Amino acid sequence: MRVQHRHIIYIGGYDPRGLAQYYRMFRTELRKFARLYGIAATTTRPQTAASGEIASWTIETKAQDQDQDQDHGWQTRTDYDFLRFEDFIQRDLAQPIWSTVFNAVWIYWRLVLRGTAFRFFRANWRFFTFITWPHLILLAEAICCAAIAFAVEWGLDALGVPNLFSIVAAAAVFVALLGTLLKYTEKQTYVLYLLADTIWTWQFSHRQRPEWDERIDRFAQHLVKVAATSRTEEIVLVGHSSGSFLGVEILARALELDPSLGRHGPRVVLLTIGGNFPIVGFHAASTGFRNHLRRLAVEPSIDWIDCQARKDVMNFFQFDPLAAHGIDAGPARRNPTIVPVRFREIILPEHYKSFRWQFFRVHFQFVMANEIPHPYDFFMIACGPVPLAERMAVPQAALAVATGDPTAREWAWKQLEKARPGPNDAEELGTLEPTARRRG
């Protein structure tokens, strides 16, 4: 199958910037993608649904002259839906600073005392360090502010001010200083944002955010409608970052609405990139989510591709979303196909070195344009002619379609047409991407 018309449904992570920022990035990266491969790619402006919950645009992509033989060129149309949650996230971030701090600290210590934090550490120590980092910064700032407050109290005592008044004054100084420090260093530390993220994932895992569940249900209905009415060859549900577990929820609920979802009309594929399933699935209360993982693992009509990168500290690398959650699907298991991605292979060395320690920038590389042609290319996944499952099953052939000469492209299409996509063994990821120590 060669894709001429594809439908992408995109779910982002816990990002308050939402549609405006994402579309600007998408348009910029689309231009870079077109320059890299020497193709033409244009996009329309976003159109927002009446509900305000979905924004959509269309991309037209053309490689070479379509008057030539079909093996020598291709053209695709992509309908792109952006599912919006930023109103909820902006509301979270507008909460009073002290409410955010107290709730997040209380939740973090419950994670520690219940052993959930230790499970995070065993699954991926880098991710555990990342979620602990804002608490360490908060502690450091609190110690600095406490030292200043103590100095104020000592000075007032030296002046003969009664103890009660000096203690109250010192406490007021501590609260004011810490609140001010958190507020005005947020652009550098992201502490309040990360603490709000911790609160949200806890509440979502414990089903304390009904407004999120209600919107997810509506998005599941949207997916069912698209599958029933679309004339595309492929529907790809993309979940980036926290969108990974939201994507699982949307697809699983869509299958509950229409159990034959993937058996009629377009092929349906779930693509999770930079995923962090454990921040929901490792909670004892998340039985429903784990059941959804099990459902997708054995669903024969759905393909699920999970892309992971060692360099991204916000995702879980060398991680099997089923085994890590104690799910044994037995011989019926067919999902997910786990694909390692090495960012150093898709970004020019000088640019990679410039942002390799910028964790948010690295995290977003999953959805940005390549600088070097590679089988993993988000914009080729969205706009190219190769179906996603076949792209991951025969990656070098998929790359040859984009970069090879006519003879190479003819060979590539034959390989892709013979491909029978199947799941990868997550334990093999270490051989596919060696550790930094083993690379030397």
Side-chain angles (χ1 to χ4, degrees):
M1 180 178 72
R2 305 188 188 193
V3 177
Q4 294 181 306
H5 193 182
R6 176 184 288 109
H7 199 122
I8 298 286
I9 301 177
Y10 179 87
I11 314 110
Y14 193 77
D15 188 343
R17 297 171 297 179
L19 172 63
Q21 185 275 341
Y22 180 81
Y23 179 75
R24 283 195 296 270
M25 181 185 74
F26 182 92
R27 185 176 56 187
T28 299
E29 299 301 311
L30 181 67
R31 292 169 182 161
K32 295 179 183 178
F33 158 73
R35 288 197 298 269
L36 176 64
Y37 292 99
I39 60 180
T42 58
T43 180
T44 62
R45 298 287 300 174
Q47 300 294 319
T48 303
S51 66
E53 297 176 351
I54 302 175
S56 305
W57 57 91
T58 301
I59 308 106
E60 298 281 354
T61 310
K62 182 176 180 180
Q64 297 191 14
D65 186 350
Q66 294 305 301
D67 291 333
Q68 298 181 33
D69 181 86
Q70 62 177 351
D71 287 329
H72 293 185
W74 49 267
Q75 185 169 356
T76 63
R77 174 188 175 93
T78 302
D79 298 325
Y80 204 100
D81 291 342
F82 180 87
L83 306 189
R84 305 182 67 177
F85 289 104
E86 66 261 35
D87 53 332
F88 295 157
I89 302 168
Q90 290 166 1
R91 194 181 311 156
D92 290 349
L93 296 178
Q95 295 299 309
I97 289 176
W98 289 106
S99 172
T100 299
V101 168
F102 286 136
N103 284 334
V105 170
W106 173 231
I107 287 171
Y108 181 82
W109 283 106
R110 275 187 284 181
L111 293 175
V112 172
L113 295 174
R114 294 181 181 184
T116 309
F118 178 67
R119 295 185 65 194
F120 288 158
F121 180 83
R122 286 197 306 172
N124 188 293
W125 67 268
R126 298 184 188 191
F127 182 84
F128 170 78
T129 302
F130 177 75
I131 64 169
T132 300
W133 180 80
H135 295 272
L136 296 177
I137 296 297
L138 176 62
L139 177 61
E141 292 181 343
I143 290 173
C144 291
C145 293
I148 295 173
F150 177 79
V152 169
E153 182 186 5
W154 181 84
L156 292 175
D157 288 342
L159 293 174
V161 175
N163 285 342
L164 177 62
F165 290 102
S166 64
I167 291 172
V168 170
V173 167
F174 173 78
V175 170
L177 277 179
L178 185 55
T180 301
L181 193 59
L182 286 168
K183 179 178 180 180
Y184 290 101
T185 61
E186 175 65 8
K187 290 184 178 180
Q188 290 74 40
T189 65
Y190 296 98
V191 165
L192 295 174
Y193 163 75
L194 294 172
L195 296 180
D197 193 354
T198 297
I199 297 169
W200 167 66
T201 53
W202 170 277
Q203 293 175 339
F204 181 80
S205 303
H206 290 76
R207 290 294 178 260
Q208 296 173 4
R209 299 297 297 268
E211 73 278 18
W212 281 82
D213 280 312
E214 290 166 4
R215 188 165 296 183
I216 288 171
D217 286 338
R218 290 194 291 274
F219 288 154
Q221 294 166 10
H222 173 70
L223 174 56
V224 170
K225 180 180 178 181
V226 169
T229 61
S230 175
R231 304 187 62 165
T232 61
E233 291 91 15
E234 179 178 64
I235 298 172
V236 181
L237 182 66
V238 181
H240 174 238
S241 189
S242 300
S244 58
F245 58 77
L246 296 174
V248 166
E249 286 290 295
I250 290 169
L251 181 53
R253 297 185 197 189
L255 284 167
E256 291 172 358
L257 295 172
D258 180 7
S260 62
L261 178 73
R263 295 179 172 85
H264 58 74
R267 177 188 293 182
V268 178
V269 186
L270 172 64
L271 172 64
T272 51
I273 46 183
N276 43 28
F277 306 102
I279 61 174
V280 170
F282 277 8
H283 294 282
S286 294
T287 304
F289 176 71
R290 291 189 294 274
N291 288 338
H292 288 162
L293 288 175
R294 186 189 301 273
R295 170 72 184 274
L296 297 185
V298 300
E299 175 54 53
S301 65
I302 300 293
D303 291 311
W304 173 12
I305 312 294
D306 182 45
C307 294
Q308 309 172 356
R310 182 188 301 278
K311 191 60 182 176
D312 179 13
V313 301
M314 299 184 206
N315 85 161
F316 283 73
F317 181 71
Q318 289 184 312
F319 179 81
D320 183 336
L322 297 186
H325 286 89
I327 299 171
D328 182 4
R333 173 176 174 169
R334 66 179 308 276
N335 285 315
T337 296
I338 301 174
V339 178
V341 178
R342 297 187 68 188
F343 291 150
R344 65 171 63 245
E345 292 181 350
I346 66 177
I347 298 297
L348 294 172
E350 58 270 25
H351 293 161
Y352 180 78
K353 291 178 181 177
S354 70
F355 70 75
R356 61 180 301 187
W357 300 111
Q358 299 174 28
F359 300 136
F360 285 99
R361 171 63 180 82
V362 171
H363 189 52
F364 271 88
Q365 186 56 53
F366 276 111
V367 294
M368 298 177 73
N370 287 16
E371 295 179 346
I372 302 170
H374 191 272
Y376 179 84
D377 187 313
F378 178 74
F379 282 87
M380 269 297 177
I381 289 170
C383 304
V386 180
L388 178 54
E390 282 82 349
R391 168 176 292 277
M392 297 308 179
V394 195
Q396 293 308 315
L399 181 60
V401 169
T403 61
D405 58 25
T407 301
R409 284 198 290 270
E410 182 178 359
W411 165 85
W413 279 118
K414 289 179 180 178
Q415 297 301 309
L416 290 163
E417 287 164 4
K418 293 188 297 183
R420 292 294 182 269
N424 286 349
D425 184 347
E427 294 180 358
E428 295 177 357
L429 290 180
T431 63
L432 294 173
E433 181 178 349
T435 65
R437 181 176 299 173
R438 286 166 57 192
R439 284 197 305 265

